[in-house]
């Protein structure tokens, strides 16, 4: 972009902020920066402007940069959930492209600030990640780059297996009583006599003996990373510190995984309305329409979150602006509440509830959504029933789309071995991926690791003992 184009962009961004606020959007203070492609794709590969070094990020950078160089894909912008909110625009974009991207970014920032899933995320993660990267570099100087890379490889292999519930460990569940609580006696002038009888009964009972063996954890533990960090005897303090840093970073990214369709649909809905309010030239209007059409273009083989999200948001607005007679009588809906309902949904929902509650039969048919799978040597459509399509979309987003693994026993066979269990719900694990990941779990735990799952409708146990992986049907 030329200096003149940057000045025009700055002026347009000020106008777009005023327009966005007039629509009711509320976002953090914005910081825009125009960057060359190398910088944008570095940020895209690392996920943030400031993060620790790892070979997997370099691999992602070269793949993404190659696709950009060959014209196969392009990152138009990157926006960071922080306060102030940082947005990085691609220098190779035209002026109208960066105008559209800026409008898109404003809506993203509004979503970050208002959606309940982001309420507990750190708004200073850019600075926190810079500090974490510095600590990891210090560990590389002290313990060697290979040792640090080894623990990073293992930690990144299981980083998705956390418990995103922020209340999960703040308030421990009360222990179950050994016997039923006695019924309270009715209030009367003789309560003191009743209490004497109760004390005499208690005096006759022997003191309860503590169990000889207490299972660890007492209940299945979903946060595998946290459990290993707290209970592994094979980790040094600096290794636990690295696990803690990666877990904090994953907790920061988790709400974005849970709200991908909502967030992108929300940003697309508002960039369309904000751009319509700008005084664009005829050529800019054509270029904007072409770019927007490319953003929401449906895919034949996967879900385009921009397309699906936009359609659902527009349908919510239409249905609540013009409720049917039945909806007015049954639910008390009044006409003209479309925007009010949209802001309510934006605040409290995630992708699962968004799809479950607002993906209607009419939308599924309009967007021609279907389920397909490989039958023999061909891919075929196997289901077009709208409820089954909706249910499958929701199921694919449970736990961010990752399999749910729980720690069943941290002292299996009384030998300090780790027993994990897959909460099987009809989708089998990738066996090759599983067998390559178990050695990383072993590296972190230091003892044999077991994983129970289901293959071909039969329970099976995978074991890695530090030398080889085995499996046996239960």
């Amino acid at each position: 972009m030329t200096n003149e184009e940057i000045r025009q962009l700055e002026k347009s961004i000020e106008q777009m902020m005023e327009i966005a606020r007039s629509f009711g959007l509320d976002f953090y203070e914005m910081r825009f920066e125009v960057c060359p492609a190398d910088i944008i794709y570095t940020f895209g590969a690392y996920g943030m402007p400031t993060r620790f070094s790892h070979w997997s990020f370099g691999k992602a950078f070269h793949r993404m940069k190659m696709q950009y160089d060959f014209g196969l894909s392009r990152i138009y912008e990157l926006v960071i959930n922080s306060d102030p909110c940082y947005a990085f625009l691609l220098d190779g974009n035209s002026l109208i492209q960066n105008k559209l991207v800026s409008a898109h970014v404003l809506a993203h920032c509004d979503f970050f600030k208002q959606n309940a899933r982001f309420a507990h995320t750190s708004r200073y993660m850019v600075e926190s990640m810079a500090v974490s990267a510095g600590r990891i570099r210090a560990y590389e100087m002290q313990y060697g780059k290979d040792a640090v890379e080894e623990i990073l490889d293992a930690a990144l292999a299981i980083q998705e297996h956390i418990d995103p519930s922020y209340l999960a460990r703040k308030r421990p569940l009360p222990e179950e009583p050994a016997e039923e609580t006695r019924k309270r006696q009715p209030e009367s002038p003789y309560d003191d006599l009743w209490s004497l009888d109760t004390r005499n009964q208690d005096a006759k009972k022997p003191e309860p003996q503590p169990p000889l063996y207490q299972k660890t954890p007492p209940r299945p533990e979903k946060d595998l990373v946290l459990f290993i960090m707290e209970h592994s005897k094979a980790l040094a303090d600096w290794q636990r510190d690295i696990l803690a840093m990666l877990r904090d970073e994953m907790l920061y990214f988790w709400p974005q995984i849970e709200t991908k369709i909502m967030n992108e649909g929300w940003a697309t809905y508002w960039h369309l309305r904000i751009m319509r309010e700008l005084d664009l030239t005829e050529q800019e209007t054509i270029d904007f329409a072409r770019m927007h059409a490319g953003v929401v273009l449906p895919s034949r083989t996967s879900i385009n979150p921009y397309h699906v999200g936009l359609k659902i948001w527009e349908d919510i607005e239409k249905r609540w602006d013009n409720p049917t007679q039945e909806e007015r009588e049954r639910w008390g809906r009044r006409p003209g509440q479309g925007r009010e309902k949209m802001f309510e949904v934006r605040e409290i929902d995630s992708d699962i509830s968004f799809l479950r509650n607002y993906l209607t039969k009419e939308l599924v048919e309009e967007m021609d959504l279907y389920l397909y799978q490989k039958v023999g040597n061909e891919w075929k459509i196997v289901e077009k029933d709208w409820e089954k399509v909706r249910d499958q979309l929701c199921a694919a987003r449970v736990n961010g789309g990752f399999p749910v693994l729980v720690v069943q026993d941290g002292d299996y066979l009384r030998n300090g071995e780790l027993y994990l269990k897959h909460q099987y719900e009809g989708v089998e694990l990738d066996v090759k991926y599983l067998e390559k990941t178990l050695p990383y779990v072993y590296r972190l735990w230091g003892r044999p690791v077991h994983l129970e799952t289901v293959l071909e409708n039969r329970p099976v146990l995978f074991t890695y003992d530090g030398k080889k992986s085995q499996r046996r049907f239960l």
Side-chain angles (χ1 to χ4, degrees), residues 186-292:
E187 293 183 5
S188 74
Y190 306 103
D191 279 348
D192 55 339
L193 299 179
W194 288 115
S195 63
L196 285 173
D197 185 57
T198 303
R199 286 200 296 269
N200 290 334
Q201 291 179 5
D202 291 341
K204 296 177 182 178
K205 291 186 178 181
E207 290 291 330
Q209 297 296 322
L212 296 177
Y213 172 72
Q214 292 184 342
K215 185 180 177 183
T216 303
R219 300 174 184 83
E221 174 64 63
K222 182 176 182 291
D223 201 322
L224 175 59
V225 176
L226 183 60
F227 184 84
I228 291 176
M229 187 177 74
E230 291 182 342
H231 296 92
S232 173
K233 297 179 180 179
L235 296 178
D237 288 343
W238 67 272
Q239 295 169 324
R240 296 181 202 277
D241 187 34
I242 289 179
L243 272 182
M245 287 186 281
L246 265 62
R247 180 175 178 273
D248 287 343
E249 291 183 6
M250 195 63 201
L251 286 171
Y252 168 82
F253 289 120
W254 195 267
Q256 300 180 39
I257 298 173
E258 288 186 311
T259 59
K260 177 70 174 178
I261 294 176
M262 280 185 72
N263 199 344
E264 296 298 356
W266 181 259
T268 305
Y269 174 92
W270 286 111
H271 84 225
L272 186 59
R273 276 123 187 106
I274 292 172
M275 292 296 291
R276 287 172 179 171
E277 298 295 321
L278 293 180
D279 185 17
L280 302 178
T281 66
E282 182 177 337
Q283 185 60 46
E284 284 181 328
T285 303
I286 295 173
D287 291 341
F288 159 68
R290 184 185 296 114
M291 185 177 177
H292 175 76

Side-chain angles (χ1 to χ4, degrees), residues 301-348:
T301 58
S302 62
I303 292 294
N304 180 350
Y306 300 85
H307 173 65
V308 175
L310 174 63
K311 286 290 186 181
I312 296 177
W313 283 118
E314 290 180 336
D315 187 64
I316 291 173
E317 181 181 30
K318 181 180 69 175
R319 289 166 56 202
W320 265 260
D321 272 343
N322 304 288
T324 63
Q325 187 63 34
E326 180 185 358
E327 290 171 337
R328 296 185 190 190
E329 296 174 355
R330 186 174 182 182
W331 308 111
R333 291 181 189 169
R334 301 188 307 274
Q337 292 185 316
R339 288 282 172 87
E340 181 181 344
K341 181 62 179 179
M342 289 176 65
F343 282 103
E344 175 192 320
V345 172
R346 174 263 271 148
E347 183 176 349
I348 65 177

Side-chain angles (χ1 to χ4, degrees), residues 103-121:
H104 193 86
V105 160
L106 293 176
H108 272 315
C109 186
D110 168 83
F111 194 91
F112 292 149
K113 185 176 180 180
Q114 304 299 330
N115 185 266
R117 293 300 185 282
F118 292 85
H120 297 283
T121 55

